[in-house]
Amino acid sequence: MRIALLACLLFAGPVIAAEIPAPPASPAPPSTKPATTAPTTPIDVAEKEKLKQMIGQEATIRGKVIDVFLPRSGSVTILNFFEGAARRDFNVVIDKANLEALNAAHNGDLGAAVKGQTILVTGTIADYRGNPQIKLEKPEQLKIEAAKDEKPAEKPAE
């Protein structure tokens, strides 16, 4: 009798274990991070107070680049906007590690491509010593606006 009972337990054990359903997967905990989607209307660099209020949020900023600054350390490249904004009111910062990809996207020289141009920069606004800035990490974050007097390229006749 004991042998029969032992045999039943040995052979039935895997079947019983296989019939026990796995516990349901617990849902992912809700995010405590606020949604950060860029507003559809770009914010002008001259709107310093609005930019300060948006620190920590994603936004698209429009401004004319007047100066491309590379400090002696060479660790970053800084795009400065003077028109409508003081030199440090808002900056775009590019770490050395990301500069190569941004240069490649702009014919090998981002500085030459953006200097004197109105650009749109999208990213999370950060605080740097009391002033808002955006760090560029990939080329998709920067768009150069076409001059208003430029006509769009015409499609060739079919």
Side-chain angles (χ1 to χ4, degrees):
M1 176 81 171
R2 286 185 178 179
I3 294 176
L5 183 59
L6 188 58
C8 284
L9 289 174
L10 285 173
F11 293 113
V15 173
I16 293 171
E19 291 175 3
I20 299 173
S26 60
S31 174
T32 57
K33 197 174 186 182
T36 57
T37 55
T40 54
T41 305
I43 301 167
D44 192 273
V45 294
E47 296 183 60
K48 181 179 180 177
E49 291 309 313
K50 186 172 185 177
L51 292 173
K52 280 187 168 190
Q53 292 171 1
M54 293 191 67
I55 288 174
Q57 298 179 43
E58 187 169 305
T60 299
I61 314 301
R62 173 187 285 132
K64 187 172 183 179
V65 178
I66 301 300
D67 182 45
V68 179
F69 177 68
L70 181 66
R72 277 186 265 172
S73 68
S75 62
V76 296
T77 298
I78 301 170
L79 307 183
N80 291 313
F81 304 85
F82 295 145
E83 286 185 7
R87 182 170 185 242
R88 297 285 180 202
D89 283 353
F90 175 78
N91 292 320
V92 173
V93 178
I94 305 150
D95 288 330
K96 186 177 184 177
N98 301 319
L99 187 58
E100 187 176 326
L102 286 151
N103 276 334
H106 296 288
N107 296 322
D109 190 351
L110 174 69
V114 299
K115 190 169 183 178
Q117 300 295 318
T118 299
I119 64 170
L120 296 169
V121 180
T122 301
T124 301
I125 300 175
D127 183 311
Y128 180 75
R129 297 182 180 176
N131 293 311
Q133 72 174 20
I134 289 180
K135 278 194 173 189
L136 285 186
E137 297 174 343
K138 49 191 170 187
E140 300 83 39
Q141 290 180 268
L142 183 140
K143 304 280 186 248
I144 299 173
E145 276 194 344
K148 294 185 192 269
D149 58 341
E150 285 183 20
K151 293 180 183 177
E154 294 182 21
K155 291 184 180 178
E158 293 181 29

PDB file of all heavy atoms in Angstrom, residues 103-131:
ATOM      1  N   ASN A 103      27.489  67.363 -35.558  1.00  0.00           N
ATOM      2  CA  ASN A 103      28.297  67.875 -36.674  1.00  0.00           C
ATOM      3  C   ASN A 103      27.987  67.100 -37.950  1.00  0.00           C
ATOM      4  O   ASN A 103      27.811  67.685 -39.016  1.00  0.00           O
ATOM      5  CB  ASN A 103      29.793  67.769 -36.360  1.00  0.00           C
ATOM      6  CG  ASN A 103      30.308  68.940 -35.549  1.00  0.00           C
ATOM      7  OD1 ASN A 103      29.768  70.034 -35.590  1.00  0.00           O
ATOM      8  ND2 ASN A 103      31.357  68.697 -34.785  1.00  0.00           N
ATOM      9  N   ALA A 104      27.923  65.781 -37.847  1.00  0.00           N
ATOM     10  CA  ALA A 104      27.659  64.933 -39.019  1.00  0.00           C
ATOM     11  C   ALA A 104      26.323  65.273 -39.660  1.00  0.00           C
ATOM     12  O   ALA A 104      26.181  65.234 -40.883  1.00  0.00           O
ATOM     13  CB  ALA A 104      27.705  63.463 -38.618  1.00  0.00           C
ATOM     14  N   ALA A 105      25.354  65.640 -38.860  1.00  0.00           N
ATOM     15  CA  ALA A 105      24.024  65.979 -39.386  1.00  0.00           C
ATOM     16  C   ALA A 105      23.994  67.357 -40.045  1.00  0.00           C
ATOM     17  O   ALA A 105      23.020  67.701 -40.712  1.00  0.00           O
ATOM     18  CB  ALA A 105      23.001  65.917 -38.260  1.00  0.00           C
ATOM     19  N   HIS A 106      25.063  68.137 -39.862  1.00  0.00           N
ATOM     20  CA  HIS A 106      25.100  69.505 -40.406  1.00  0.00           C
ATOM     21  C   HIS A 106      26.375  69.731 -41.202  1.00  0.00           C
ATOM     22  O   HIS A 106      27.133  70.677 -40.940  1.00  0.00           O
ATOM     23  CB  HIS A 106      24.957  70.522 -39.272  1.00  0.00           C
ATOM     24  CG  HIS A 106      23.642  70.426 -38.577  1.00  0.00           C
ATOM     25  ND1 HIS A 106      22.467  70.835 -39.150  1.00  0.00           N
ATOM     26  CD2 HIS A 106      23.310  69.892 -37.379  1.00  0.00           C
ATOM     27  CE1 HIS A 106      21.474  70.591 -38.317  1.00  0.00           C
ATOM     28  NE2 HIS A 106      21.965  70.012 -37.242  1.00  0.00           N
ATOM     29  N   ASN A 107      26.621  68.881 -42.166  1.00  0.00           N
ATOM     30  CA  ASN A 107      27.755  68.979 -43.085  1.00  0.00           C
ATOM     31  C   ASN A 107      29.104  69.092 -42.376  1.00  0.00           C
ATOM     32  O   ASN A 107      30.010  69.777 -42.842  1.00  0.00           O
ATOM     33  CB  ASN A 107      27.565  70.149 -44.055  1.00  0.00           C
ATOM     34  CG  ASN A 107      26.376  69.947 -44.951  1.00  0.00           C
ATOM     35  OD1 ASN A 107      26.111  68.830 -45.395  1.00  0.00           O
ATOM     36  ND2 ASN A 107      25.632  71.006 -45.214  1.00  0.00           N
ATOM     37  N   GLY A 108      29.226  68.441 -41.227  1.00  0.00           N
ATOM     38  CA  GLY A 108      30.503  68.392 -40.537  1.00  0.00           C
ATOM     39  C   GLY A 108      30.817  69.560 -39.631  1.00  0.00           C
ATOM     40  O   GLY A 108      31.824  69.554 -38.936  1.00  0.00           O
ATOM     41  N   ASP A 109      29.970  70.606 -39.606  1.00  0.00           N
ATOM     42  CA  ASP A 109      30.267  71.776 -38.770  1.00  0.00           C
ATOM     43  C   ASP A 109      28.971  72.408 -38.277  1.00  0.00           C
ATOM     44  O   ASP A 109      28.398  73.292 -38.918  1.00  0.00           O
ATOM     45  CB  ASP A 109      31.092  72.787 -39.562  1.00  0.00           C
ATOM     46  CG  ASP A 109      31.636  73.919 -38.688  1.00  0.00           C
ATOM     47  OD1 ASP A 109      31.243  74.025 -37.505  1.00  0.00           O
ATOM     48  OD2 ASP A 109      32.450  74.700 -39.205  1.00  0.00           O
ATOM     49  N   LEU A 110      28.514  71.954 -37.128  1.00  0.00           N
ATOM     50  CA  LEU A 110      27.277  72.475 -36.548  1.00  0.00           C
ATOM     51  C   LEU A 110      27.365  73.982 -36.323  1.00  0.00           C
ATOM     52  O   LEU A 110      26.441  74.718 -36.642  1.00  0.00           O
ATOM     53  CB  LEU A 110      26.977  71.768 -35.220  1.00  0.00           C
ATOM     54  CG  LEU A 110      25.797  72.321 -34.430  1.00  0.00           C
ATOM     55  CD1 LEU A 110      24.497  72.034 -35.148  1.00  0.00           C
ATOM     56  CD2 LEU A 110      25.782  71.771 -33.026  1.00  0.00           C
ATOM     57  N   GLY A 111      28.494  74.448 -35.799  1.00  0.00           N
ATOM     58  CA  GLY A 111      28.663  75.871 -35.514  1.00  0.00           C
ATOM     59  C   GLY A 111      28.447  76.743 -36.741  1.00  0.00           C
ATOM     60  O   GLY A 111      27.724  77.741 -36.689  1.00  0.00           O
ATOM     61  N   ALA A 112      29.055  76.358 -37.850  1.00  0.00           N
ATOM     62  CA  ALA A 112      28.894  77.131 -39.088  1.00  0.00           C
ATOM     63  C   ALA A 112      27.463  77.046 -39.600  1.00  0.00           C
ATOM     64  O   ALA A 112      26.944  78.015 -40.162  1.00  0.00           O
ATOM     65  CB  ALA A 112      29.861  76.623 -40.155  1.00  0.00           C
ATOM     66  N   ALA A 113      26.820  75.909 -39.401  1.00  0.00           N
ATOM     67  CA  ALA A 113      25.460  75.725 -39.908  1.00  0.00           C
ATOM     68  C   ALA A 113      24.440  76.574 -39.155  1.00  0.00           C
ATOM     69  O   ALA A 113      23.475  77.052 -39.742  1.00  0.00           O
ATOM     70  CB  ALA A 113      25.062  74.254 -39.831  1.00  0.00           C
ATOM     71  N   VAL A 114      24.644  76.780 -37.844  1.00  0.00           N
ATOM     72  CA  VAL A 114      23.630  77.473 -37.051  1.00  0.00           C
ATOM     73  C   VAL A 114      23.932  78.939 -36.776  1.00  0.00           C
ATOM     74  O   VAL A 114      23.010  79.707 -36.490  1.00  0.00           O
ATOM     75  CB  VAL A 114      23.370  76.747 -35.708  1.00  0.00           C
ATOM     76  CG1 VAL A 114      22.870  75.332 -35.935  1.00  0.00           C
ATOM     77  CG2 VAL A 114      24.581  76.757 -34.811  1.00  0.00           C
ATOM     78  N   LYS A 115      25.192  79.359 -36.880  1.00  0.00           N
ATOM     79  CA  LYS A 115      25.531  80.745 -36.545  1.00  0.00           C
ATOM     80  C   LYS A 115      24.782  81.711 -37.468  1.00  0.00           C
ATOM     81  O   LYS A 115      24.836  81.608 -38.687  1.00  0.00           O
ATOM     82  CB  LYS A 115      27.033  80.981 -36.647  1.00  0.00           C
ATOM     83  CG  LYS A 115      27.441  82.319 -36.065  1.00  0.00           C
ATOM     84  CD  LYS A 115      28.930  82.438 -35.919  1.00  0.00           C
ATOM     85  CE  LYS A 115      29.257  83.770 -35.272  1.00  0.00           C
ATOM     86  NZ  LYS A 115      30.684  83.921 -35.061  1.00  0.00           N
ATOM     87  N   GLY A 116      24.056  82.635 -36.836  1.00  0.00           N
ATOM     88  CA  GLY A 116      23.278  83.612 -37.586  1.00  0.00           C
ATOM     89  C   GLY A 116      21.927  83.080 -38.057  1.00  0.00           C
ATOM     90  O   GLY A 116      21.172  83.804 -38.688  1.00  0.00           O
ATOM     91  N   GLN A 117      21.615  81.847 -37.728  1.00  0.00           N
ATOM     92  CA  GLN A 117      20.364  81.227 -38.160  1.00  0.00           C
ATOM     93  C   GLN A 117      19.351  81.175 -37.011  1.00  0.00           C
ATOM     94  O   GLN A 117      19.722  81.087 -35.841  1.00  0.00           O
ATOM     95  CB  GLN A 117      20.611  79.792 -38.638  1.00  0.00           C
ATOM     96  CG  GLN A 117      21.554  79.666 -39.795  1.00  0.00           C
ATOM     97  CD  GLN A 117      21.010  80.305 -41.057  1.00  0.00           C
ATOM     98  OE1 GLN A 117      19.830  80.174 -41.377  1.00  0.00           O
ATOM     99  NE2 GLN A 117      21.857  81.018 -41.767  1.00  0.00           N
ATOM    100  N   THR A 118      18.082  81.198 -37.376  1.00  0.00           N
ATOM    101  CA  THR A 118      17.026  80.967 -36.398  1.00  0.00           C
ATOM    102  C   THR A 118      16.811  79.462 -36.327  1.00  0.00           C
ATOM    103  O   THR A 118      16.637  78.807 -37.356  1.00  0.00           O
ATOM    104  CB  THR A 118      15.723  81.680 -36.796  1.00  0.00           C
ATOM    105  OG1 THR A 118      15.984  83.092 -36.860  1.00  0.00           O
ATOM    106  CG2 THR A 118      14.613  81.409 -35.793  1.00  0.00           C
ATOM    107  N   ILE A 119      16.888  78.945 -35.101  1.00  0.00           N
ATOM    108  CA  ILE A 119      16.765  77.504 -34.922  1.00  0.00           C
ATOM    109  C   ILE A 119      15.608  77.173 -33.981  1.00  0.00           C
ATOM    110  O   ILE A 119      15.163  78.015 -33.200  1.00  0.00           O
ATOM    111  CB  ILE A 119      18.069  76.871 -34.382  1.00  0.00           C
ATOM    112  CG1 ILE A 119      18.401  77.393 -32.982  1.00  0.00           C
ATOM    113  CG2 ILE A 119      19.226  77.102 -35.347  1.00  0.00           C
ATOM    114  CD1 ILE A 119      19.533  76.637 -32.290  1.00  0.00           C
ATOM    115  N   LEU A 120      15.147  75.935 -34.067  1.00  0.00           N
ATOM    116  CA  LEU A 120      14.177  75.370 -33.136  1.00  0.00           C
ATOM    117  C   LEU A 120      14.898  74.243 -32.412  1.00  0.00           C
ATOM    118  O   LEU A 120      15.479  73.362 -33.051  1.00  0.00           O
ATOM    119  CB  LEU A 120      12.962  74.819 -33.870  1.00  0.00           C
ATOM    120  CG  LEU A 120      12.119  75.847 -34.623  1.00  0.00           C
ATOM    121  CD1 LEU A 120      11.109  75.149 -35.515  1.00  0.00           C
ATOM    122  CD2 LEU A 120      11.399  76.752 -33.637  1.00  0.00           C
ATOM    123  N   VAL A 121      14.858  74.269 -31.101  1.00  0.00           N
ATOM    124  CA  VAL A 121      15.506  73.248 -30.290  1.00  0.00           C
ATOM    125  C   VAL A 121      14.451  72.643 -29.374  1.00  0.00           C
ATOM    126  O   VAL A 121      13.733  73.374 -28.692  1.00  0.00           O
ATOM    127  CB  VAL A 121      16.639  73.853 -29.436  1.00  0.00           C
ATOM    128  CG1 VAL A 121      17.311  72.789 -28.604  1.00  0.00           C
ATOM    129  CG2 VAL A 121      17.652  74.545 -30.312  1.00  0.00           C
ATOM    130  N   THR A 122      14.368  71.318 -29.385  1.00  0.00           N
ATOM    131  CA  THR A 122      13.395  70.631 -28.544  1.00  0.00           C
ATOM    132  C   THR A 122      14.120  69.767 -27.524  1.00  0.00           C
ATOM    133  O   THR A 122      15.049  69.034 -27.870  1.00  0.00           O
ATOM    134  CB  THR A 122      12.468  69.751 -29.407  1.00  0.00           C
ATOM    135  OG1 THR A 122      11.795  70.590 -30.355  1.00  0.00           O
ATOM    136  CG2 THR A 122      11.427  69.043 -28.547  1.00  0.00           C
ATOM    137  N   GLY A 123      13.695  69.865 -26.281  1.00  0.00           N
ATOM    138  CA  GLY A 123      14.283  69.060 -25.219  1.00  0.00           C
ATOM    139  C   GLY A 123      13.754  69.494 -23.870  1.00  0.00           C
ATOM    140  O   GLY A 123      12.906  70.383 -23.766  1.00  0.00           O
ATOM    141  N   THR A 124      14.264  68.851 -22.845  1.00  0.00           N
ATOM    142  CA  THR A 124      13.858  69.188 -21.485  1.00  0.00           C
ATOM    143  C   THR A 124      14.663  70.396 -21.023  1.00  0.00           C
ATOM    144  O   THR A 124      15.887  70.412 -21.115  1.00  0.00           O
ATOM    145  CB  THR A 124      14.093  67.998 -20.535  1.00  0.00           C
ATOM    146  OG1 THR A 124      13.339  66.894 -21.019  1.00  0.00           O
ATOM    147  CG2 THR A 124      13.648  68.329 -19.127  1.00  0.00           C
ATOM    148  N   ILE A 125      13.957  71.392 -20.530  1.00  0.00           N
ATOM    149  CA  ILE A 125      14.609  72.601 -20.046  1.00  0.00           C
ATOM    150  C   ILE A 125      15.184  72.307 -18.666  1.00  0.00           C
ATOM    151  O   ILE A 125      14.489  71.830 -17.779  1.00  0.00           O
ATOM    152  CB  ILE A 125      13.631  73.789 -19.982  1.00  0.00           C
ATOM    153  CG1 ILE A 125      13.063  74.075 -21.384  1.00  0.00           C
ATOM    154  CG2 ILE A 125      14.313  75.029 -19.408  1.00  0.00           C
ATOM    155  CD1 ILE A 125      11.993  75.141 -21.406  1.00  0.00           C
ATOM    156  N   ALA A 126      16.477  72.572 -18.512  1.00  0.00           N
ATOM    157  CA  ALA A 126      17.173  72.354 -17.243  1.00  0.00           C
ATOM    158  C   ALA A 126      17.605  73.694 -16.676  1.00  0.00           C
ATOM    159  O   ALA A 126      17.665  74.701 -17.387  1.00  0.00           O
ATOM    160  CB  ALA A 126      18.388  71.457 -17.466  1.00  0.00           C
ATOM    161  N   ASP A 127      17.921  73.707 -15.388  1.00  0.00           N
ATOM    162  CA  ASP A 127      18.403  74.908 -14.722  1.00  0.00           C
ATOM    163  C   ASP A 127      19.923  74.824 -14.631  1.00  0.00           C
ATOM    164  O   ASP A 127      20.467  73.841 -14.135  1.00  0.00           O
ATOM    165  CB  ASP A 127      17.808  74.975 -13.314  1.00  0.00           C
ATOM    166  CG  ASP A 127      18.217  76.243 -12.575  1.00  0.00           C
ATOM    167  OD1 ASP A 127      19.421  76.580 -12.549  1.00  0.00           O
ATOM    168  OD2 ASP A 127      17.339  76.880 -12.002  1.00  0.00           O
ATOM    169  N   TYR A 128      20.598  75.847 -15.120  1.00  0.00           N
ATOM    170  CA  TYR A 128      22.045  75.935 -14.959  1.00  0.00           C
ATOM    171  C   TYR A 128      22.368  77.281 -14.330  1.00  0.00           C
ATOM    172  O   TYR A 128      22.239  78.326 -14.986  1.00  0.00           O
ATOM    173  CB  TYR A 128      22.775  75.773 -16.296  1.00  0.00           C
ATOM    174  CG  TYR A 128      24.276  75.870 -16.136  1.00  0.00           C
ATOM    175  CD1 TYR A 128      24.989  74.811 -15.579  1.00  0.00           C
ATOM    176  CD2 TYR A 128      24.966  77.014 -16.504  1.00  0.00           C
ATOM    177  CE1 TYR A 128      26.372  74.897 -15.406  1.00  0.00           C
ATOM    178  CE2 TYR A 128      26.340  77.099 -16.339  1.00  0.00           C
ATOM    179  CZ  TYR A 128      27.034  76.043 -15.791  1.00  0.00           C
ATOM    180  OH  TYR A 128      28.394  76.127 -15.608  1.00  0.00           O
ATOM    181  N   ARG A 129      22.703  77.264 -13.062  1.00  0.00           N
ATOM    182  CA  ARG A 129      23.051  78.478 -12.315  1.00  0.00           C
ATOM    183  C   ARG A 129      21.977  79.554 -12.433  1.00  0.00           C
ATOM    184  O   ARG A 129      22.261  80.731 -12.670  1.00  0.00           O
ATOM    185  CB  ARG A 129      24.404  79.010 -12.751  1.00  0.00           C
ATOM    186  CG  ARG A 129      25.537  78.056 -12.470  1.00  0.00           C
ATOM    187  CD  ARG A 129      26.861  78.633 -12.861  1.00  0.00           C
ATOM    188  NE  ARG A 129      27.938  77.680 -12.582  1.00  0.00           N
ATOM    189  CZ  ARG A 129      29.184  77.891 -12.893  1.00  0.00           C
ATOM    190  NH1 ARG A 129      29.558  79.004 -13.480  1.00  0.00           N
ATOM    191  NH2 ARG A 129      30.093  76.976 -12.619  1.00  0.00           N
ATOM    192  N   GLY A 130      20.735  79.140 -12.321  1.00  0.00           N
ATOM    193  CA  GLY A 130      19.615  80.075 -12.343  1.00  0.00           C
ATOM    194  C   GLY A 130      19.100  80.423 -13.720  1.00  0.00           C
ATOM    195  O   GLY A 130      18.165  81.206 -13.853  1.00  0.00           O
ATOM    196  N   ASN A 131      19.691  79.866 -14.765  1.00  0.00           N
ATOM    197  CA  ASN A 131      19.251  80.153 -16.123  1.00  0.00           C
ATOM    198  C   ASN A 131      18.823  78.867 -16.829  1.00  0.00           C
ATOM    199  O   ASN A 131      19.438  77.817 -16.641  1.00  0.00           O
ATOM    200  CB  ASN A 131      20.366  80.822 -16.923  1.00  0.00           C
ATOM    201  CG  ASN A 131      20.672  82.203 -16.394  1.00  0.00           C
ATOM    202  OD1 ASN A 131      19.785  83.015 -16.177  1.00  0.00           O
ATOM    203  ND2 ASN A 131      21.933  82.481 -16.152  1.00  0.00           N
TER     204      ASN A 131
END
